[in-house]
PDB file of all heavy atoms in Angstrom:
ATOM      1  N   LYS A 234     161.741  59.386  88.382  1.00 95.00           N
ATOM      2  CA  LYS A 234     161.100  58.084  88.518  1.00 95.00           C
ATOM      3  C   LYS A 234     159.734  58.201  89.174  1.00 95.00           C
ATOM      4  O   LYS A 234     158.755  57.592  88.721  1.00 95.00           O
ATOM      5  CB  LYS A 234     161.990  57.142  89.336  1.00 95.00           C
ATOM      6  CG  LYS A 234     161.417  55.732  89.475  1.00 95.00           C
ATOM      7  CD  LYS A 234     162.368  54.825  90.236  1.00 95.00           C
ATOM      8  CE  LYS A 234     161.786  53.421  90.346  1.00 95.00           C
ATOM      9  NZ  LYS A 234     162.682  52.518  91.100  1.00 95.00           N
ATOM     10  N   THR A 235     159.638  58.995  90.227  1.00 96.00           N
ATOM     11  CA  THR A 235     158.367  59.172  90.928  1.00 96.00           C
ATOM     12  C   THR A 235     157.301  59.748  89.998  1.00 96.00           C
ATOM     13  O   THR A 235     156.159  59.277  89.971  1.00 96.00           O
ATOM     14  CB  THR A 235     158.549  60.110  92.137  1.00 96.00           C
ATOM     15  OG1 THR A 235     159.444  59.498  93.064  1.00 96.00           O
ATOM     16  CG2 THR A 235     157.220  60.360  92.833  1.00 96.00           C
ATOM     17  N   LYS A 236     157.680  60.746  89.219  1.00 96.00           N
ATOM     18  CA  LYS A 236     156.725  61.383  88.311  1.00 96.00           C
ATOM     19  C   LYS A 236     156.378  60.477  87.136  1.00 96.00           C
ATOM     20  O   LYS A 236     155.223  60.450  86.684  1.00 96.00           O
ATOM     21  CB  LYS A 236     157.285  62.720  87.829  1.00 96.00           C
ATOM     22  CG  LYS A 236     157.339  63.753  88.948  1.00 96.00           C
ATOM     23  CD  LYS A 236     158.093  65.002  88.564  1.00 96.00           C
ATOM     24  CE  LYS A 236     158.086  66.004  89.721  1.00 96.00           C
ATOM     25  NZ  LYS A 236     158.931  67.188  89.477  1.00 96.00           N
ATOM     26  N   SER A 237     157.349  59.714  86.644  1.00 94.00           N
ATOM     27  CA  SER A 237     157.093  58.796  85.523  1.00 94.00           C
ATOM     28  C   SER A 237     156.125  57.696  85.913  1.00 94.00           C
ATOM     29  O   SER A 237     155.274  57.275  85.119  1.00 94.00           O
ATOM     30  CB  SER A 237     158.408  58.181  85.039  1.00 94.00           C
ATOM     31  OG  SER A 237     159.268  59.161  84.518  1.00 94.00           O
ATOM     32  N   GLU A 238     156.243  57.224  87.149  1.00 94.00           N
ATOM     33  CA  GLU A 238     155.366  56.149  87.611  1.00 94.00           C
ATOM     34  C   GLU A 238     153.918  56.597  87.741  1.00 94.00           C
ATOM     35  O   GLU A 238     153.010  55.765  87.812  1.00 94.00           O
ATOM     36  CB  GLU A 238     155.881  55.610  88.946  1.00 94.00           C
ATOM     37  CG  GLU A 238     157.176  54.813  88.817  1.00 94.00           C
ATOM     38  CD  GLU A 238     157.756  54.373  90.144  1.00 94.00           C
ATOM     39  OE1 GLU A 238     157.306  54.914  91.192  1.00 94.00           O
ATOM     40  OE2 GLU A 238     158.656  53.505  90.153  1.00 94.00           O
ATOM     41  N   LYS A 239     153.699  57.899  87.754  1.00 95.00           N
ATOM     42  CA  LYS A 239     152.333  58.419  87.822  1.00 95.00           C
ATOM     43  C   LYS A 239     151.712  58.605  86.450  1.00 95.00           C
ATOM     44  O   LYS A 239     150.548  58.979  86.333  1.00 95.00           O
ATOM     45  CB  LYS A 239     152.335  59.761  88.569  1.00 95.00           C
ATOM     46  CG  LYS A 239     152.735  59.660  90.034  1.00 95.00           C
ATOM     47  CD  LYS A 239     152.756  61.029  90.699  1.00 95.00           C
ATOM     48  CE  LYS A 239     153.175  60.932  92.160  1.00 95.00           C
ATOM     49  NZ  LYS A 239     153.231  62.270  92.816  1.00 95.00           N
ATOM     50  N   THR A 240     152.500  58.351  85.402  1.00 95.00           N
ATOM     51  CA  THR A 240     152.023  58.519  84.030  1.00 95.00           C
ATOM     52  C   THR A 240     151.550  57.186  83.472  1.00 95.00           C
ATOM     53  O   THR A 240     152.350  56.293  83.211  1.00 95.00           O
ATOM     54  CB  THR A 240     153.139  59.087  83.128  1.00 95.00           C
ATOM     55  OG1 THR A 240     153.585  60.334  83.655  1.00 95.00           O
ATOM     56  CG2 THR A 240     152.630  59.293  81.713  1.00 95.00           C
ATOM     57  N   ASP A 241     150.233  57.060  83.301  1.00 96.00           N
ATOM     58  CA  ASP A 241     149.674  55.817  82.759  1.00 96.00           C
ATOM     59  C   ASP A 241     149.502  55.908  81.250  1.00 96.00           C
ATOM     60  O   ASP A 241     149.800  54.976  80.517  1.00 96.00           O
ATOM     61  CB  ASP A 241     148.328  55.499  83.414  1.00 96.00           C
ATOM     62  CG  ASP A 241     147.740  54.201  82.892  1.00 96.00           C
ATOM     63  OD1 ASP A 241     148.449  53.165  82.934  1.00 96.00           O
ATOM     64  OD2 ASP A 241     146.584  54.201  82.417  1.00 96.00           O
ATOM     65  N   THR A 242     149.020  57.047  80.766  1.00 97.00           N
ATOM     66  CA  THR A 242     148.856  57.237  79.323  1.00 97.00           C
ATOM     67  C   THR A 242     149.641  58.459  78.875  1.00 97.00           C
ATOM     68  O   THR A 242     149.869  59.390  79.653  1.00 97.00           O
ATOM     69  CB  THR A 242     147.376  57.429  78.938  1.00 97.00           C
ATOM     70  OG1 THR A 242     146.908  58.670  79.483  1.00 97.00           O
ATOM     71  CG2 THR A 242     146.524  56.288  79.463  1.00 97.00           C
ATOM     72  N   TYR A 243     150.057  58.453  77.614  1.00 97.00           N
ATOM     73  CA  TYR A 243     150.779  59.594  77.062  1.00 97.00           C
ATOM     74  C   TYR A 243     150.593  59.647  75.561  1.00 97.00           C
ATOM     75  O   TYR A 243     150.295  58.641  74.899  1.00 97.00           O
ATOM     76  CB  TYR A 243     152.278  59.506  77.385  1.00 97.00           C
ATOM     77  CG  TYR A 243     152.974  58.324  76.754  1.00 97.00           C
ATOM     78  CD1 TYR A 243     153.503  58.408  75.461  1.00 97.00           C
ATOM     79  CD2 TYR A 243     153.073  57.114  77.424  1.00 97.00           C
ATOM     80  CE1 TYR A 243     154.116  57.315  74.871  1.00 97.00           C
ATOM     81  CE2 TYR A 243     153.682  56.022  76.841  1.00 97.00           C
ATOM     82  CZ  TYR A 243     154.206  56.125  75.568  1.00 97.00           C
ATOM     83  OH  TYR A 243     154.804  55.028  74.982  1.00 97.00           O
ATOM     84  N   THR A 244     150.755  60.809  75.018  1.00 96.00           N
ATOM     85  CA  THR A 244     150.839  60.992  73.572  1.00 96.00           C
ATOM     86  C   THR A 244     151.850  62.097  73.311  1.00 96.00           C
ATOM     87  O   THR A 244     151.926  63.080  74.061  1.00 96.00           O
ATOM     88  CB  THR A 244     149.469  61.349  72.959  1.00 96.00           C
ATOM     89  OG1 THR A 244     149.620  61.569  71.538  1.00 96.00           O
ATOM     90  CG2 THR A 244     148.896  62.611  73.590  1.00 96.00           C
ATOM     91  N   ALA A 245     152.666  61.931  72.280  1.00 96.00           N
ATOM     92  CA  ALA A 245     153.704  62.915  71.984  1.00 96.00           C
ATOM     93  C   ALA A 245     154.087  62.835  70.512  1.00 96.00           C
ATOM     94  O   ALA A 245     154.136  61.747  69.929  1.00 96.00           O
ATOM     95  CB  ALA A 245     154.940  62.664  72.851  1.00 96.00           C
ATOM     96  N   ASP A 246     154.327  63.979  69.920  1.00 97.00           N
ATOM     97  CA  ASP A 246     154.918  64.036  68.581  1.00 97.00           C
ATOM     98  C   ASP A 246     156.433  63.982  68.737  1.00 97.00           C
ATOM     99  O   ASP A 246     156.984  64.509  69.708  1.00 97.00           O
ATOM    100  CB  ASP A 246     154.529  65.330  67.867  1.00 97.00           C
ATOM    101  CG  ASP A 246     153.037  65.432  67.608  1.00 97.00           C
ATOM    102  OD1 ASP A 246     152.399  64.383  67.422  1.00 97.00           O
ATOM    103  OD2 ASP A 246     152.514  66.559  67.608  1.00 97.00           O
ATOM    104  N   PHE A 247     157.107  63.346  67.794  1.00 96.00           N
ATOM    105  CA  PHE A 247     158.563  63.261  67.875  1.00 96.00           C
ATOM    106  C   PHE A 247     159.204  63.545  66.523  1.00 96.00           C
ATOM    107  O   PHE A 247     158.601  63.347  65.463  1.00 96.00           O
ATOM    108  CB  PHE A 247     159.016  61.888  68.386  1.00 96.00           C
ATOM    109  CG  PHE A 247     158.698  60.745  67.458  1.00 96.00           C
ATOM    110  CD1 PHE A 247     159.538  60.415  66.402  1.00 96.00           C
ATOM    111  CD2 PHE A 247     157.553  59.985  67.638  1.00 96.00           C
ATOM    112  CE1 PHE A 247     159.250  59.367  65.544  1.00 96.00           C
ATOM    113  CE2 PHE A 247     157.247  58.926  66.790  1.00 96.00           C
ATOM    114  CZ  PHE A 247     158.099  58.623  65.740  1.00 96.00           C
ATOM    115  N   ASP A 248     160.420  64.024  66.590  1.00 95.00           N
ATOM    116  CA  ASP A 248     161.274  64.195  65.420  1.00 95.00           C
ATOM    117  C   ASP A 248     162.627  63.610  65.755  1.00 95.00           C
ATOM    118  O   ASP A 248     163.132  63.797  66.870  1.00 95.00           O
ATOM    119  CB  ASP A 248     161.444  65.681  65.063  1.00 95.00           C
ATOM    120  CG  ASP A 248     160.165  66.298  64.528  1.00 95.00           C
ATOM    121  OD1 ASP A 248     159.821  66.015  63.373  1.00 95.00           O
ATOM    122  OD2 ASP A 248     159.534  67.075  65.275  1.00 95.00           O
ATOM    123  N   MET A 249     163.210  62.899  64.819  1.00 94.00           N
ATOM    124  CA  MET A 249     164.531  62.331  65.039  1.00 94.00           C
ATOM    125  C   MET A 249     165.361  62.476  63.767  1.00 94.00           C
ATOM    126  O   MET A 249     164.884  62.162  62.670  1.00 94.00           O
ATOM    127  CB  MET A 249     164.456  60.859  65.452  1.00 94.00           C
ATOM    128  CG  MET A 249     165.834  60.261  65.731  1.00 94.00           C
ATOM    129  SD  MET A 249     165.777  58.663  66.592  1.00 94.00           S
ATOM    130  CE  MET A 249     165.064  57.619  65.321  1.00 94.00           C
ATOM    131  N   ALA A 250     166.576  62.970  63.924  1.00 93.00           N
ATOM    132  CA  ALA A 250     167.508  63.105  62.804  1.00 93.00           C
ATOM    133  C   ALA A 250     168.767  62.319  63.126  1.00 93.00           C
ATOM    134  O   ALA A 250     169.316  62.436  64.225  1.00 93.00           O
ATOM    135  CB  ALA A 250     167.841  64.567  62.559  1.00 93.00           C
ATOM    136  N   MET A 251     169.211  61.488  62.185  1.00 90.00           N
ATOM    137  CA  MET A 251     170.411  60.692  62.357  1.00 90.00           C
ATOM    138  C   MET A 251     171.344  60.915  61.170  1.00 90.00           C
ATOM    139  O   MET A 251     170.893  61.026  60.031  1.00 90.00           O
ATOM    140  CB  MET A 251     170.066  59.201  62.460  1.00 90.00           C
ATOM    141  CG  MET A 251     169.202  58.831  63.635  1.00 90.00           C
ATOM    142  SD  MET A 251     168.786  57.058  63.655  1.00 90.00           S
ATOM    143  CE  MET A 251     170.415  56.321  63.853  1.00 90.00           C
TER     144      MET A 251
END
Side-chain angles (χ1 to χ4, degrees):
K234 183 177 181 181
T235 297
K236 291 170 179 174
S237 296
E238 289 175 346
K239 295 178 181 179
T240 302
D241 181 53
T242 67
Y243 64 87
T244 178
D246 296 329
F247 66 84
D248 291 285
M249 182 166 68
M251 298 178 63

